[in-house]
Amino acid sequence: MERRLPIKFFAKREEDNMRVEGCGNKTLPSFVLSGDELVNRAEMLCVEFDEIIDSIAHKDNDVPSVITAILNPDALAKSHRGKINTLFSGNGRNNVIGLCNERTIKIMISGEEEALEIKKRITQPQKYAYEISCIEEIGEFKPTLVRSSTVEDYKIKLINFQDYALNNAYARRFENYLIEKQIKYKKTKYSPDLDVYKLIKADSAVVDTLMSSEIFDLTEEIIPMPKVFLDLDSLESGTEFSVMYPKDFETYAIVGVLDNGIERNKYLEPWIAGAASPYPKNVVTPSHGTKVASIIAYGDKLEGKEYVGNSHVKVFDATVFPDTDKESFDEDDLIANIQEIVRRYCKVIKIWNLSISITREINPDSFSDFAVALDSLQDECNVLICKSAGNCTNFAFGNPVGHLHEGADSVRSLVVGSIAQSSEPNDLSEENTPSPFTRIGPGPAYIVKPDLVHYGGNAKTDGRGGIEQTGNLTIGMGGHTVYSSGTSFSTPRISALAAELSNDIKEEFDPLLIKALLIHSCNYPAEIRMPVNERTNYTGFGKPSSVSQILYNSPNEVTLILRDTLARGQYIDIKDFPMPDCLIKDGYYSGQIIATLVYDSVLEPSQGFEYCQSNMNLKFGSYDEKTERNTTRRTILNPVGKEGAKNVLLESFYSKRKQATKNQSEFAKMERLLIQYGDKYYPVKKYAVDLSEVTDGNKEKYLTEDKNWFLYLDGTYRNYSELKSQAHNFELSQEFCLIITLRDPSGELDVYNGVTQKLNEYSFWHSNIKVDNNIEISL
């Protein structure tokens, strides 16, 4: 079926804006202790806190003490955090300064007087029963310390006391100490709220000196500085093909290739739009970046297939990585180089490819410093970074694949895994299934990472740890074609697709829109047969479509884009969603619904597991009728409500029996997605449902032709961000992009025009997306 109908933007109406209403609940949670249990818990905490008080009393410096509290697993929700803050507050100040992991918080205590104030509360279990029941254990905070037996560059992070003046004073004290002790160091600002120090060529004596001084009380982490390496070699193929040249008078998008350089061979020279590097040529060997650039410029031609549909993408040689045989290279060097080049060229280059990883697995309880730096840079420069998930060679030894590399936990980036585009004899992965080397998620705090996948090759092993790469043709040094496998080479396919999209959409560059469009277009290859949670761990939301398929609809479907900002205290309730009458069959609504919500979560690096500080919820469904509400009541702010509403994006709405009978359908294998996100702060959420799979009871209750349809969006914020916004007097909000597709699976109904008519009937502003008229549309 022809795809010639452009996807549409639409906007909410004034009547769709709602204010959040209060709903007080004085009932105590079920986990709150009483009687002997409560007394015993208070006594135990008192004993533990006495040790803290004794330690503070014998302290010989003025640095605040930091302690930890392990939370009751039933008390992790935001609704309990205010009680926890109350227990540990001092002098009217919130002393909770961060998290070590999901259940462990960090608390600052400025002195013995404040410690005694906190203990007084713990000794009053009847008055503070709720607060005490939230805490299971109290102890001293211990910095992360990893020693090396050799002379190393060490990475040091200082504790963030959540006080600007204190942090600045202690940073100066730390730097003065290093100068006094003649310890060489380098300071790198990973983000506005994260400074990292590198001690240069420090031995164990230097670490011992730090540990025995008051400076140790300022530190959160002392570890060897992570090194950066490139992995997986290549095999030459000897294939020859013709050189392509850019056409005159055509506009080309540019992908910045953050790598170890791009060789000016005959194939790539015409496609290199410029270059920047902090390194002289004699310490650069562009072996890896050349192959990455070739995928961006020649990917479809090398494979002889339209994977991306890119013909208007050039590359920018951003050499951020030297030849490590000639010059040492650490995490902070990489971050500083990336920041310098992206900041310099972000006005003209909006898509950046980063196929380099810190070869350390992510921590499930906190986001890496590399990820924090990448997120901060993208916010600052309004760019989108496509980041590789990382490679793992465990398969060569018969071991399970490892988790994502640091940097692949970046929230703002599009993180890319790999699937195999072909399978030769003895290859370890079947065609269109995860490549044997692709690292897996989820990311920290359970977020979906990688975001998506593309073709990155295959591999086979000789049984003795030797690896042969197959299936991914690239252009290497000297212009020779080579087979190269890795997430390094699936990532540039996504970068090229993102750049082509940004070039073809004649709107102001919007990284949130590009990210949402790519994820919304994703399908799972039918060959992937694994449980939903495993499927998302390996492949995220799947493999995206080509440019023309993303930007255009067929008559039997329509794609609507709602791009807006949602402020704290507000929600959106569109009670006249334009569900077309043509989807009514035999008296019941039918059709497939695919919805993707991507939002810019408020990010706070100091909060560890709770780095993502805001959440958005999406509900879409039917209701009986609008109702008038009594706004004279104190808790009612919105004059119109809806009766009999039902969210159709819930797993419980659907029949397992019906889904089982349709498991061989194209939709079931490639699109059906019903992740129950619950109260988790996922910055990307996607749903794909088929109304023909609804339970018989729900069909009768909620899909009859007399129903109205609604679209609902709300936002929540963690306690830390709410307190910070109050203290600094700013409004919390989050930008979002919601994309929703309605489709008639039979291909017979004119859904596109049906929805357009309803948009007009209900007085919605709407507009076709502005696109390049020269896009080639695949039929």
Side-chain angles (χ1 to χ4, degrees):
M1 186 176 293
E2 295 186 5
R3 304 179 68 89
R4 295 182 179 275
L5 302 169
I7 62 178
K8 294 175 176 288
F9 286 103
F10 81 111
K12 69 180 187 299
R13 305 160 303 178
E14 187 60 36
E15 66 197 74
D16 302 323
N17 291 316
M18 300 288 162
R19 290 185 291 168
V20 174
E21 298 173 339
C23 51
N25 184 359
K26 297 182 179 179
T27 304
L28 288 175
S30 59
F31 66 78
V32 174
L33 303 172
S34 61
D36 290 344
E37 281 188 307
L38 175 60
V39 171
N40 292 339
R41 173 70 62 84
E43 289 177 350
M44 182 194 73
L45 295 179
C46 279
V47 170
E48 293 172 344
F49 206 75
D50 280 340
E51 295 181 14
I52 302 292
I53 293 173
D54 184 63
S55 175
I56 293 173
H58 290 88
K59 207 168 181 182
D60 58 1
N61 62 63
D62 62 349
V63 177
S65 296
V66 178
I67 67 170
T68 61
I70 298 177
L71 305 183
N72 181 332
D74 294 324
L76 302 182
K78 169 195 169 183
S79 55
H80 309 303
R81 195 57 61 84
K83 293 292 184 180
I84 296 166
N85 293 346
T86 297
L87 186 66
F88 293 109
S89 64
N91 298 318
R93 181 186 63 229
N94 173 30
N95 283 333
V96 177
I97 59 173
L99 287 89
C100 299
N101 55 50
E102 185 177 14
R103 287 185 57 198
T104 307
I105 58 174
K106 289 186 292 190
I107 302 130
M108 175 182 75
I109 301 177
S110 60
E112 189 174 3
E113 181 181 339
E114 195 166 82
L116 291 171
E117 182 184 344
I118 294 169
K119 187 187 172 182
K120 184 178 178 181
R121 297 190 195 105
I122 300 174
T123 58
Q124 301 177 70
Q126 301 309 318
K127 184 176 181 180
Y128 294 99
Y130 189 163
E131 290 85 343
I132 290 169
S133 300
C134 290
I135 310 299
E136 289 193 346
E137 187 179 324
I138 297 173
E140 284 193 66
F141 171 75
K142 299 186 185 312
T144 300
L145 176 62
V146 178
R147 287 175 169 277
S148 173
S149 58
T150 60
V151 174
E152 288 273 5
D153 292 342
Y154 275 86
K155 174 181 177 180
I156 296 183
K157 290 193 297 181
L158 303 184
I159 293 170
N160 185 337
F161 291 99
Q162 303 301 334
D163 183 301
Y164 182 80
L166 268 185
N167 288 340
N168 274 354
Y170 292 146
R172 286 194 296 271
R173 186 182 298 188
F174 178 70
E175 291 167 16
N176 289 338
Y177 172 86
L178 296 180
I179 293 169
E180 179 189 336
K181 299 296 182 182
Q182 297 184 328
I183 300 171
K184 290 184 179 179
Y185 74 93
K186 174 187 172 187
K187 180 180 178 180
T188 302
K189 187 170 279 298
Y190 280 38
S191 78
D193 298 316
L194 178 59
D195 291 331
V196 170
Y197 293 89
K198 176 163 73 175
L199 306 191
I200 300 169
K201 296 193 181 335
D203 56 20
S204 58
V206 170
V207 177
D208 289 338
T209 302
L210 275 173
M211 290 179 62
S212 61
S213 71
E214 70 169 31
I215 295 302
F216 191 62
D217 289 343
L218 299 174
T219 61
E220 180 172 297
E221 178 182 82
I222 304 176
I223 63 172
M225 178 61 79
K227 302 288 183 183
V228 185
F229 301 97
L230 295 174
D231 52 8
L232 293 186
D233 294 319
S234 311
L235 298 172
E236 292 197 15
S237 75
T239 305
E240 285 285 337
F241 58 94
S242 59
V243 177
M244 296 193 305
Y245 295 93
K247 297 176 182 177
D248 294 336
F249 311 114
E250 288 203 11
T251 303
Y252 289 85
I254 302 172
V255 173
V257 181
L258 299 160
D259 217 289
N260 70 346
I262 303 173
E263 184 188 63
R264 270 70 174 160
N265 58 50
K266 64 179 181 180
Y267 294 109
L268 294 178
E269 177 71 43
W271 295 94
I272 298 175
S277 173
Y279 299 106
K281 289 184 178 180
N282 65 320
V283 297
V284 172
T285 305
S287 54
H288 188 262
T290 299
K291 290 181 287 186
V292 168
S294 74
I295 295 283
I296 294 170
Y298 282 84
D300 286 0
K301 185 176 180 66
L302 285 164
E303 297 293 338
K305 298 177 182 177
E306 185 181 296
Y307 289 152
V308 172
N310 61 309
S311 57
H312 299 87
V313 182
K314 292 185 176 183
V315 293
F316 179 85
D317 177 5
T319 304
V320 296
F321 192 102
D323 186 333
T324 52
D325 290 335
K326 300 175 182 177
E327 186 161 322
S328 63
F329 195 63
D330 294 332
E331 173 193 271
D332 63 321
D333 300 317
L334 175 61
I335 289 170
N337 291 345
I338 292 172
Q339 289 173 335
E340 179 186 348
I341 292 178
V342 172
R343 284 170 177 154
R344 193 189 312 168
Y345 295 98
C346 63
K347 292 287 194 299
V348 290
I349 302 173
K350 292 298 185 180
I351 306 295
W352 296 82
N353 187 96
L354 183 59
S355 291
I356 297 171
S357 293
I358 304 297
T359 51
R360 234 177 24 170
E361 287 193 1
I362 61 168
N363 180 345
D365 291 323
S366 63
F367 290 78
S368 69
D369 297 333
F370 190 19
V372 169
L374 294 178
D375 290 340
S376 175
L377 186 64
Q378 288 173 90
D379 284 345
E380 175 192 342
C381 297
N382 191 40
V383 298
L384 178 62
I385 293 174
C386 300
K387 173 74 184 73
S388 58
N391 302 317
C392 179
T393 57
N394 286 356
F395 67 87
F397 306 97
N399 295 323
V401 67
H403 285 86
L404 300 168
H405 272 152
E406 289 189 1
D409 50 341
S410 165
V411 171
R412 300 285 194 250
S413 300
L414 270 173
V415 176
V416 188
S418 173
I419 57 175
Q421 65 266 54
S422 62
S423 183
E424 299 177 359
N426 300 320
D427 277 349
L428 296 176
S429 293
E430 296 179 9
E431 185 176 342
N432 280 322
T433 65
S435 304
F437 45 77
T438 190
R439 286 185 171 269
I440 63 172
Y446 315 114
I447 68 169
V448 176
K449 290 288 174 178
D451 295 286
L452 34 64
V453 291
H454 219 299
Y455 293 128
N458 211 327
K460 60 185 70 173
T461 177
D462 59 10
R464 300 185 300 275
I467 298 170
E468 179 181 334
Q469 301 170 62
T470 60
N472 210 53
L473 199 58
T474 66
I475 302 170
M477 298 278 284
H480 302 294
T481 50
V482 293
Y483 284 113
S484 306
S485 294
T487 57
S488 287
F489 308 112
S490 58
T491 303
R493 296 192 196 280
I494 298 296
S495 299
L497 185 51
E500 189 73 52
L501 265 180
S502 69
N503 188 59
D504 292 341
I505 296 174
K506 300 309 176 186
E507 311 269 358
E508 184 177 346
F509 178 76
D510 182 355
L512 206 57
L513 173 63
I514 299 297
K515 189 174 180 180
L517 284 170
L518 286 169
I519 291 174
H520 187 73
S521 77
C522 283
N523 289 320
Y524 294 103
E527 293 85 347
I528 297 179
R529 301 295 182 86
M530 55 178 69
V532 171
N533 63 321
E534 290 299 323
R535 188 174 67 178
T536 52
N537 287 344
Y538 276 86
T539 64
F541 295 102
K543 183 177 80 69
S545 305
S546 62
V547 173
S548 60
Q549 291 174 311
I550 292 173
L551 294 178
Y552 287 89
N553 287 138
S554 303
N556 70 312
E557 63 185 355
V558 67
T559 297
L560 302 176
I561 304 167
L562 179 61
R563 180 69 172 85
D564 210 327
T565 300
L566 189 63
R568 179 175 176 267
Q570 298 179 349
Y571 65 94
I572 296 169
D573 192 0
I574 298 173
K575 301 181 188 70
D576 297 313
F577 186 82
M579 198 71 164
D581 295 335
C582 66
L583 285 178
I584 300 172
K585 290 184 178 180
D586 301 323
Y588 300 93
Y589 277 97
S590 64
Q592 294 168 348
I593 302 159
I594 299 97
T596 303
L597 175 63
V598 182
Y599 59 93
D600 276 347
S601 177
V602 175
L603 302 178
E604 285 289 349
S606 68
Q607 296 304 294
F609 186 87
E610 294 184 354
Y611 175 58
C612 296
Q613 286 278 303
S614 62
N615 185 35
M616 285 191 69
N617 296 305
L618 166 67
K619 297 177 184 177
F620 177 81
S622 68
Y623 69 100
D624 295 331
E625 60 183 358
K626 296 178 184 178
T627 57
E628 290 186 11
R629 305 174 77 231
N630 183 6
T631 54
T632 62
R633 294 177 58 184
R634 185 171 55 85
T635 58
I636 295 180
L637 303 175
N638 303 300
V640 180
K642 53 187 185 292
E643 190 172 290
K646 184 65 176 180
N647 179 16
V648 305
L649 304 180
L650 296 174
E651 188 176 22
S652 59
F653 193 68
Y654 296 87
S655 164
K656 294 256 191 292
R657 176 183 55 81
K658 289 184 180 181
Q659 289 179 333
T661 61
K662 294 189 175 186
N663 276 344
Q664 297 307 308
S665 71
E666 184 174 299
F667 180 84
K669 289 190 289 187
M670 301 180 69
E671 292 190 274
R672 184 196 290 155
L673 191 63
L674 269 171
I675 297 173
Q676 297 309 291
Y677 300 97
D679 60 356
K680 299 292 190 294
Y681 283 43
Y682 291 80
V684 178
K685 298 176 180 178
K686 185 177 180 182
Y687 305 85
V689 300
D690 190 327
L691 295 182
S692 70
E693 298 175 350
V694 169
T695 66
D696 292 338
N698 284 332
K699 180 179 178 181
E700 291 295 334
K701 287 181 184 177
Y702 304 112
L703 297 186
T704 51
E705 61 184 329
D706 59 336
K707 297 296 181 183
N708 301 295
W709 288 79
F710 73 90
L711 175 66
Y712 175 97
L713 286 160
D714 70 12
T716 53
Y717 298 83
R718 296 194 191 273
N719 182 258
Y720 172 85
S721 282
E722 290 186 337
L723 293 175
K724 183 177 179 179
S725 71
Q726 292 165 16
H728 297 281
N729 195 29
F730 66 87
E731 183 181 68
L732 286 169
S733 65
Q734 46 195 332
E735 292 191 36
F736 70 89
C737 183
L738 171 67
I739 305 179
I740 187 164
T741 294
L742 306 178
R743 181 193 299 147
D744 165 38
S746 72
E748 299 171 354
L749 305 177
D750 190 355
V751 175
Y752 191 90
N753 282 326
V755 169
T756 302
Q757 291 166 10
K758 287 284 187 180
L759 287 167
N760 292 330
E761 179 184 338
Y762 293 137
S763 301
F764 285 99
W765 174 89
H766 63 95
S767 174
N768 294 342
I769 194 169
K770 297 173 186 174
V771 296
D772 189 334
N773 292 327
N774 295 319
I775 295 177
E776 295 180 7
I777 302 173
S778 299
L779 304 182

